[in-house]
Amino acid sequence: MTAGLLTSLDDAAADGPALAGGISLGAHLAAEWAVRNPGRCAGLLLAMPAWCGRPDDAPASLAARASADLVDSQGLEEALRLATAGVAPWLAAELTRAWRRHGDGLAASLRVAAAHPAPTLDALAGLDVPVGIAACTDDPVHPAAVAHAWAEALPRAVVRETTLTALGADRESLGRAALLAWLQAGG
């Protein structure tokens, strides 16, 4: 999963610098790729980074590991039923779509995501491209404090805040926040 996303970014930058981005693990991977390929990156659009460096006990890592265990012990359908009980309908639909798409590889993919290190703050400090970061202030799994730590480390980054509630009402709000932050950062 992670290698495939990094390869996709290599392909996207084959003809010139690319604007890379992603949500959660996707944000980590886009930033990781940019740190490794600063001359090939035109900027970053990042949403909801979940940790800095090693995941250790970051909420998103713990949630992914618990979800993997639930899928292994209960099966996909029961895990989905339990994981989506009491969550907003839009989030339940998104989890259902994403988890079913992975099929038999879901638990393994969740474990890879839970263990994959994000760039360290020191590594981010060396990345001089415009970076827009979107954070949801009501998301305990992807704390806004992590987005702000990334922005403080990056030489040219801005954070725009939104909420999961807003995202449920307007699915474009997260991307819009990242894009507006990127433009404000000099993109």
Side-chain angles (χ1 to χ4, degrees), residues 16-48:
L19 183 61
I23 301 171
S24 190
L25 176 63
H28 295 187
L29 293 171
E32 177 183 329
W33 177 84
V35 166
R36 291 182 187 173
N37 299 280
R40 299 176 69 197
C41 182
L44 293 168
L45 296 170
L46 308 175
M48 301 163 51

Side-chain angles (χ1 to χ4, degrees), residues 63-77:
R65 288 183 291 199
S67 295
D69 291 345
L70 189 62
V71 169
D72 279 344
S73 68
Q74 301 295 317
L76 176 61
E77 293 307 316

Side-chain angles (χ1 to χ4, degrees), residues 102-126:
H102 279 284
D104 292 340
L106 175 61
S109 293
L110 288 167
R111 286 191 178 90
V112 166
H116 194 84
T120 65
L121 296 178
D122 286 342
L124 293 173

Side-chain angles (χ1 to χ4, degrees), residues 85-161:
V87 303
W90 73 268
L91 183 54
E94 182 62 24
L95 282 172
T96 299
R97 181 196 63 76
W99 283 19
R100 285 191 175 134
R101 183 184 69 213
H102 279 284
D104 292 340
L106 175 61
S109 293
L110 288 167
R111 286 191 178 90
V112 166
H116 194 84
T120 65
L121 296 178
D122 286 342
L124 293 173
L127 189 58
D128 192 19
V129 297
V131 180
I133 305 173
C136 291
T137 58
D138 58 348
D139 183 356
V141 177
H142 303 88
V146 173
H148 286 281
W150 281 40
E152 287 175 23
L154 288 154
R156 297 170 56 198
V158 172
V159 175
R160 294 288 288 248
E161 293 181 341

